Amino acid sequence: MSVALVRPSRPPLAASRRRRSLALAVITTLVATLLAAVQAAPAQAAPVLLSQGSTVTASSQENGGTAAGNAVDGDGGTRWSSAFADPQWIRIDLGSPAALSRVELAWEAAHAKSYRIELSTNGNDWTTAYSTTASAGGNETLTVSGDARYVRLTGTERATGYGYSLWEFKVFGTRDGGGGPEIPGGGDLGPNVHVFDPTTPNIQGKVDEIFQQQEEAQFGSGRHALLFKPGTYNNINAQIGFYTQIAGLGLNPNATTFNGDVTVDAGWFNGNATQNFWRSAENLTLNPVNGTNRWAVSQAAPFRRMHIKGGLNLAPDGYGWASGGYIADSKIDGTVGPYSQQQWYTRDSSVGGWTNAVWNMTFSGVQGAPAASYPTPPYTTLDTTPISREKPFLYLDGNEYKVFVPAKRVNARGVSWDGGTQPGESIPLNRFYVVKQGATAATINAALAQGLNLLFTPGVYHIDQTINVNRANTVVLGLGLATIIPDNGVTAMKVADVDGVKLAGFLIDAGPVNSPTLLEVGPQGASADHSANPTSLQDVFVRIGGAGPGKATTSIVVNSDDTIIDHTWVWRADHGEGW
């Protein structure tokens, strides 16, 4: 059974940490240069944005809303501003040395008239890379040159009576000899993402076709996402099989309404739902045809941001066994009936009632949940969830795809989306590398180094090197249970000890050569305080064996403090192949 966990923080270090936000990928254009002999010159390495989400310190700040970290958060609406005095400075720690090529400054009206850009390899000894005594403010692009880990802007004369004020302070360059060719963000979502609107012909036929492929494909290679644009859909019964995600594309679940059902049953397994794994439903409103929707699942089958205008049945037809599941950020107007469902965890939701329990039903921050009474009946109930964050999700803003990243919640109770603005950030798709089948780990890592987030489209991805997530606030989001397989004994993914990384919606499947670990969050000895902006794992599943021979010593290692683990299933196969 899956639970929500937060790894507690060690005692805070002396230095303060500031919230960091998601990186904005600022991309340069490569121009091919022809030689006189008609032979094309080799492509030049593209400088990448190095500063987004980096650690920043400053000589002062004007008030609590103008922290230094605002200057590297990728948000043009937040700023750092200093005290009203000369001189003042702001310093970026890039984390490791880099060959720098340019600096971009976006000044607020209170800009510097005189300032210099300084570089350092150790944080103590500085050289001047650029200086001026006649800045006009606004947006400035400065050419710099030098190897440095630290970049400092020192203002020596203000242009106004206020302090120095920067919307953004961006540093570009390359590491390890170059960033490689520039990788574009955005693009289409690939062949396994099926997008519908209310006018799409034969929606039911397409949904049925995919279900027929996936109903019994417990260890198959098919991966699918069924995405529905905002609107109303009539007479739909979407049966959901293995490795299938169904989701609405609205910012709110009520934007996409089915007069119909989203169904999981167990006819394929003689009415036994204990192997109904690896599927999901998200961000939809349902008016069930018969008043009650059936979602008879076991592990790794999240039910998120759903609004059921009726009841919810968690057992298969005939009330055969089912073995545990997960609801979050959902509103069920009617009664939830577990019946034969053995165990369940429901978080930050609202229910009209709950009928029974078998082994254990756990509630955290759920309006309408039964009172705690374990062991008779076995209800474990917490009034609120101390720390939580909802899963990032893809949505349409007009005709533009974006990913909404919900903010951290403290002492949450009930859904995040009902009756008000949802705190969080919307990130355009062009700030994601859209990963499609055939992509290599080298390209994925280059995209991350360039400052892009990752959106894995439905598919199976074999990798020969570790995917390294080193930048604070990076989002790694999978659609359709995208699956990552390390083929040669590497760790599939490692996350640095940085703030606010979001991992969500994918499966790591152990490869045939033993991996010491499959997922690592923070290196051994990690000690940074991330309590203001935790890293989170949501619907991140790990499997050793089942689909084939799989070997790993340890599935998930979490070293970083304050990590939120919000629904995972770490499975050592007890059936299938290679167990």
Side-chain angles (χ1 to χ4, degrees):
M1 178 164 183
S2 300
V3 295
L5 302 173
V6 179
R7 190 175 189 269
S9 177
R10 296 182 176 91
L13 303 178
S16 63
R17 278 91 171 174
R18 296 175 172 88
R19 177 182 288 267
R20 307 172 181 104
S21 297
L22 281 160
L24 170 65
V26 175
I27 304 174
T28 61
T29 304
L30 293 176
V31 180
T33 303
L34 296 178
L35 298 176
V38 215
Q39 182 178 5
Q44 297 300 306
V48 298
L49 180 60
L50 301 171
S51 53
Q52 295 296 85
S54 295
T55 300
V56 186
T57 53
S59 54
S60 65
Q61 66 184 59
E62 180 182 355
N63 57 57
T66 61
N70 292 344
V72 296
D73 65 3
D75 184 347
T78 63
R79 63 188 176 95
W80 164 72
S81 60
S82 74
F84 302 174
D86 293 318
Q88 299 290 333
W89 54 264
I90 178 171
R91 187 183 81 165
I92 300 173
D93 179 356
L94 299 174
S96 62
L100 306 186
S101 57
R102 78 176 189 271
V103 168
E104 294 182 3
L105 304 174
W107 292 102
E108 199 243 357
H111 65 279
K113 180 181 178 182
S114 299
Y115 68 89
R116 58 183 181 267
I117 302 294
E118 301 165 302
L119 309 180
S120 175
T121 58
N122 57 18
N124 296 314
D125 303 310
W126 298 90
T127 60
T128 299
Y130 175 88
S131 66
T132 182
T133 58
S135 172
N139 296 322
E140 296 186 286
T141 298
L142 315 174
T143 299
V144 298
S145 179
D147 293 336
R149 171 174 171 172
Y150 302 91
V151 183
R152 184 172 69 185
L153 183 151
T154 298
T156 55
E157 183 181 358
R158 290 167 290 143
T160 72
Y162 297 99
Y164 298 89
S165 183
L166 278 169
W167 295 112
E168 288 294 308
F169 182 2
K170 298 177 182 177
V171 179
F172 294 81
T174 58
R175 289 190 173 97
D176 301 323
E182 186 176 337
I183 297 171
D188 71 86
L189 299 176
N192 298 326
V193 173
H194 312 275
V195 180
F196 306 93
D197 65 48
T199 66
T200 302
N202 195 25
I203 295 173
Q204 187 66 56
K206 185 62 177 179
V207 170
D208 288 346
E209 175 190 339
I210 292 170
F211 177 65
Q212 289 167 8
Q213 297 171 19
Q214 300 301 119
E215 181 183 12
E216 301 184 33
Q218 181 174 183
F219 299 117
S221 59
R223 302 289 187 273
H224 296 274
L226 310 176
L227 305 183
F228 289 80
K229 295 181 180 181
T232 300
Y233 298 78
N234 295 316
N235 304 313
I236 295 291
N237 180 22
Q239 300 183 80
I240 306 301
F242 286 100
Y243 312 109
T244 303
Q245 173 192 22
I246 188 168
L249 286 171
L251 189 56
N252 184 296
N254 291 326
T256 307
T257 298
F258 281 13
N259 290 317
D261 299 76
V262 172
T263 303
V264 176
D265 208 341
W268 74 279
F269 201 49
N270 300 316
N272 182 339
T274 56
Q275 292 184 24
N276 280 354
F277 311 143
W278 303 308
R279 63 199 76 197
S280 68
E282 303 176 57
N283 206 31
L284 293 165
T285 292
L286 307 181
N287 288 302
V289 171
N290 295 318
T292 299
N293 189 76
R294 186 185 302 277
W295 186 255
V297 299
S298 290
Q299 289 82 4
F303 198 78
R304 289 183 181 269
R305 292 177 62 82
M306 296 290 286
H307 185 188
I308 311 301
K309 294 185 174 180
L312 183 63
N313 184 341
L314 303 180
D317 187 29
Y319 302 99
W321 288 112
S323 187
Y326 177 84
I327 292 172
D329 203 24
S330 294
K331 184 177 182 181
I332 295 91
D333 294 346
T335 299
V336 179
Y339 304 111
S340 58
Q341 183 66 247
Q342 295 167 336
Q343 55 204 336
W344 202 271
Y345 177 44
T346 306
R347 177 185 62 72
D348 298 352
S349 294
S350 172
V351 299
W354 196 277
T355 59
N356 71 289
V358 177
W359 289 347
N360 187 35
M361 301 290 157
T362 300
F363 308 88
S364 176
V366 178
Q367 297 169 336
S373 56
Y374 192 88
T376 309
Y379 292 136
T380 301
T381 303
L382 301 176
D383 188 60
T384 62
T385 304
I387 300 173
S388 58
R389 178 191 281 135
E390 302 307 331
K391 178 187 172 186
F393 60 92
L394 187 70
Y395 79 101
L396 275 173
D397 183 1
N399 294 319
E400 182 183 5
Y401 283 108
K402 295 181 178 179
V403 172
F404 187 76
V405 183
K408 183 185 75 171
R409 303 179 76 189
V410 177
N411 296 323
R413 180 173 171 82
V415 300
S416 68
W417 46 264
D418 193 19
T421 301
Q422 304 168 77
E425 179 184 13
S426 289
I427 308 173
L429 192 63
N430 63 14
R431 288 168 58 187
F432 285 80
Y433 173 48
V434 178
V435 190
K436 299 175 186 149
Q437 291 199 82
T440 65
T443 302
I444 292 168
N445 279 326
L448 288 167
Q450 189 175 297
L452 294 173
N453 304 289
L454 300 179
L455 181 72
F456 281 89
T457 63
V460 177
Y461 298 89
H462 290 265
I463 60 170
D464 59 0
Q465 60 181 261
T466 299
I467 296 171
N468 292 300
V469 182
N470 295 324
R471 180 173 42 84
N473 301 303
T474 301
V475 178
V476 179
L477 177 62
L479 301 178
L481 280 294
T483 302
I484 302 168
I485 302 176
D487 285 333
N488 56 347
V490 299
T491 296
M493 186 176 295
K494 292 184 179 181
V495 179
D497 192 26
V498 295
D499 276 358
V501 172
K502 290 88 177 175
L503 309 180
F506 57 89
L507 167 66
I508 298 176
D509 204 354
V513 179
N514 189 74
S515 294
T517 57
L518 293 173
L519 173 62
E520 293 182 19
V521 180
Q524 186 174 4
S527 60
D529 179 3
H530 306 297
S531 56
N533 186 14
T535 284
S536 54
L537 283 66
Q538 299 175 292
D539 305 341
V540 173
F541 310 125
V542 173
R543 180 171 68 192
I544 303 175
K551 298 180 181 180
T553 304
T554 305
S555 293
I556 299 178
V557 175
V558 177
N559 292 311
S560 289
D561 289 342
D562 311 295
T563 297
I564 299 172
I565 302 177
D566 175 43
H567 190 227
T568 189
W569 190 40
V570 180
W571 187 54
R572 176 63 175 89
D574 57 10
H575 62 275
E577 296 183 25
W579 64 279

